[in-house]
Amino acid sequence: MSAEASRRQFVKTIGIGGIAGLSGCISAVTDGNSSGGNGKDFQYWEYFHSQSEVAKQLMESSVDDFEKQHDATMKMNWASWDDINGGKWKNNMQNGNRPVIYDSTNSLNGQFIDPGWVKPVDEYKHRLDSDALKNAKWAFEMAQSCYRGFDADLYEIPIGLEVGAPFIARADHFEKAGLSIEDDFPPKDYQDLLRIAKQLQNKGPGDYGFQIYGAQGDVTDEALITWTASDGGYDGMYLNEDWSDVNYDNDVWKKATRRYVDIYQKHGLSSDKAPTASNESVAQNLISGSVSMYQGSTKDFGLFRSRAEDMLKSGKIVFAPSWKGNAGNRGDFFTQCVALMRKPDGVKKSVWKKHEDTAIAWINKLLSKDFQKQVPSSLATLPVRKDVWDGVKNNEAIGNSKFISTLETTVDGMENGWASHPKMNAIQYNIAGPLFQEAVRGKISPEQACDRTAKQIRKQIEL
């Protein structure tokens, strides 16, 4: 799914300033005597850009356009996954140095919601564009499942949904292996996945038929959570429905983890790099042709646009939805979201209101038709406005790769979003990741990884 950690390197590669930019612009927001210039400026901590080069281009150009249209100054902190997951955002917020607005991935943000720093959406929903709200109503309702452990229904505005995890394949490899991309893709269930992967590996041009990955930031949040959620519903999520316990050691997780590890350890369908491979590295292997098929992130579409757009346009790289499991869905989702923060101490209400007014205008821009039409091709997620879905299919890369149609099919009937629990970083990655990676390595059994993860989380985290 998210493969958030696998995209950390992108930020380092393109040289975004990250959290280092915080100290230089905090004063414009936190100085209670500041008039905020013309009142149309506000501090914005921005994360969407870090997913790919095309996402970066979209966000930078959108900020520039907004500033010109509204005679505003957006004081930007171009942040990375590490800034959010590593505690820099929280430390600054705790000290009263917080933005008026941020965008992020919902599962990372419970740490900001729990202390009361984020303004519930109901407090300002009436100020959002009515046409956008009508067309995005379904996404707002779905996103509520992410905040079920808090008092309010919704704390962040969904801009795009990552629904996971789609199958991604080389259509030309299918043809050369004697398979039909129309009839044999996507796999209908786990056994069909093994059948197709074996034929791709034995008769196709690629080295490996289906690549899994064990990198600590990816092993639990792509194919594996898709399988568990579709098979078990809430029992297949990281946490149970009321957030009172973790699910890692139940039968749903043990079955899926055993199957996942078996692809590499028992069936030999993935390379020896599987234990350390990231979602992003596997996407590159698909481009190069060493891998024929994998199950990954919707955001890989942005990477393909940056590195192999011709392969999308020709239909050589193609997407398809995962199978529908026993729970009646095809997996899980999380949101790309934006949120307003409450005023910190030491800032005049009149100053904060001016900043917030402009921030509301920015949210309306993100929900506008013009921006939403660009979400699939740049942010590489499903736009929350349904009224733009059909139009974006005319884009050659989106249409021929079946990207948007895959997301439409995947989201139908989906109901379980990643929890925005305050300790989700540890639950999802920091504790679970190393143990599940050990299972991929063959150092411990899949069942032991599930049991030890659950035990350690219960011991270290108050649920």
Side-chain angles (χ1 to χ4, degrees), residues 22 30 65 140 147 168 208 211 213 221 255 285 308 310 355 407 411:
L22 282 173
T30 59
D65 290 345
F140 279 55
Y147 308 99
I168 310 172
Y208 299 100
Q211 182 69 46
Y213 31 86
D221 73 355
K255 172 186 172 184
N285 291 338
D310 288 347
H355 300 321
L407 304 193
V411 81

Side-chain angles (χ1 to χ4, degrees), residues 57-235:
Q57 292 169 358
L58 172 64
M59 296 311 299
E60 288 183 344
S61 63
S62 297
V63 166
D64 185 57
D65 290 345
F66 182 84
E67 288 182 325
K68 292 174 181 176
Q69 292 171 4
H70 293 267
D71 189 25
T73 301
M74 300 172 77
K75 300 177 183 296
M76 302 301 298
N77 165 41
W78 300 102
S80 72
W81 190 90
D82 281 336
D83 295 332
I84 308 174
N85 190 57
K88 290 182 180 179
W89 274 26
K90 183 176 182 180
N91 289 338
N92 278 279
M93 290 179 186
Q94 204 154 15
N95 292 329
N97 298 335
R98 70 186 67 149
V100 177
I101 193 170
Y102 68 78
D103 65 49
S104 181
T105 293
N106 77 272
S107 61
L108 297 176
N109 305 331
Q111 58 182 321
F112 317 136
I113 296 170
D114 189 48
W117 301 334
V118 178
K119 180 176 287 192
V121 172
D122 280 348
E123 295 186 20
Y124 61 91
K125 187 177 179 180
H126 62 284
R127 302 177 66 188
L128 302 179
D129 181 81
S130 59
D131 189 52
L133 290 177
K134 180 180 70 175
N135 285 286
K137 181 180 178 182
W138 69 278
F140 279 55
E141 292 175 349
M142 279 186 65
Q144 291 179 18
S145 72
C146 302
Y147 308 99
R148 57 186 179 269
F150 296 119
D151 294 332
D153 290 333
L154 196 64
Y155 287 84
E156 297 163 315
I157 303 291
I159 302 301
L161 266 64
E162 176 159 352
V163 294
F167 281 98
I168 310 172
R170 287 284 298 266
D172 53 332
H173 285 209
F174 270 68
E175 181 181 351
K176 292 174 181 177
L179 293 162
S180 167
I181 197 67
E182 289 79 19
D183 299 331
D184 295 306
F185 184 71
K188 298 175 180 63
D189 52 33
Y190 179 74
Q191 295 303 322
D192 198 38
L193 167 61
L194 294 180
R195 174 187 71 84
I196 295 167
K198 288 175 181 178
Q199 188 162 336
L200 284 169
Q201 187 158 313
N202 293 333
K203 297 183 179 181
D207 297 321
Y208 299 100
F210 185 81
Q211 182 69 46
I212 69 166
Y213 31 86
Q216 293 182 15
D218 292 336
V219 62
T220 57
D221 73 355
E222 298 285 0
L224 193 50
I225 183 65
T226 298
W227 296 356
T228 58
S230 64
D231 190 39
Y234 274 121
D235 288 341

Side-chain angles (χ1 to χ4, degrees), residues 1 43 84 89 171 186-187 202 327 347 353:
M1 270 290 292
Q43 189 178 151
I84 308 174
W89 274 26
N202 293 333
V347 181
K353 183 182 182 303

Side-chain angles (χ1 to χ4, degrees), residues 326-342:
N326 293 327
N329 64 71
R330 298 179 187 274
D332 57 319
F333 73 92
F334 65 83
T335 70
Q336 289 175 310
C337 55
V338 62
L340 277 181
M341 302 208 76
R342 293 194 184 279

Side-chain angles (χ1 to χ4, degrees), residues 423 426-427 430-431 435 452-463:
K423 300 293 185 181
I427 294 168
N430 302 343
I431 293 176
L435 288 164
R452 292 182 187 181
T453 295
K455 182 178 181 180
Q456 192 169 331
I457 290 171
R458 292 180 186 125
K459 182 178 179 181
Q460 296 182 14
I461 295 175
E462 184 177 349
L463 295 170

